[in-house]
Amino acid sequence: MRRQQAADRAVRPKLRSPGHPKYQRHVEAALWTEIAKGLLAEETAAVIGVAPALATRWYRQCGGMRPFDSKPPSGQG
């Protein structure tokens, strides 16, 4: 038993998953463009093609306001 415990400690730790790749900035900017039109975050998710939970998370993380670094696509607003 003791030999196995020493072997277990010698093994390198499990690699963590890096998660989903980041969405491109224009996708997140589209969220704010649609919200400015009056849609809810869940409705916006269907329009821009992301999961409703993700759109809601982006909205919550920014406090319901477009971040300063998220500019609308050129030609809009």
Side-chain angles (χ1 to χ4, degrees):
M1 182 77 145
R2 193 148 169 79
R3 180 183 231 176
Q4 183 60 44
Q5 288 173 345
D8 288 343
R9 283 194 301 265
V11 177
R12 105 173 81 156
K14 292 181 181 177
L15 296 174
R16 293 177 44 99
S17 171
H20 189 281
K22 290 271 188 187
Y23 281 93
Q24 295 180 355
R25 288 180 98 100
H26 73 274
V27 176
E28 194 169 349
L31 169 94
W32 295 106
T33 302
E34 296 301 318
I35 285 180
K37 293 178 184 177
L39 294 178
L40 297 173
E42 294 84 8
E43 297 167 338
T44 300
V47 173
I48 64 174
V50 299
L54 178 61
T56 303
R57 185 179 323 132
W58 285 345
Y59 186 82
R60 266 196 337 259
Q61 286 176 344
C62 294
M65 297 186 65
R66 179 190 294 266
F68 288 116
D69 62 348
S70 171
K71 298 190 184 216
S74 60
Q76 295 184 9

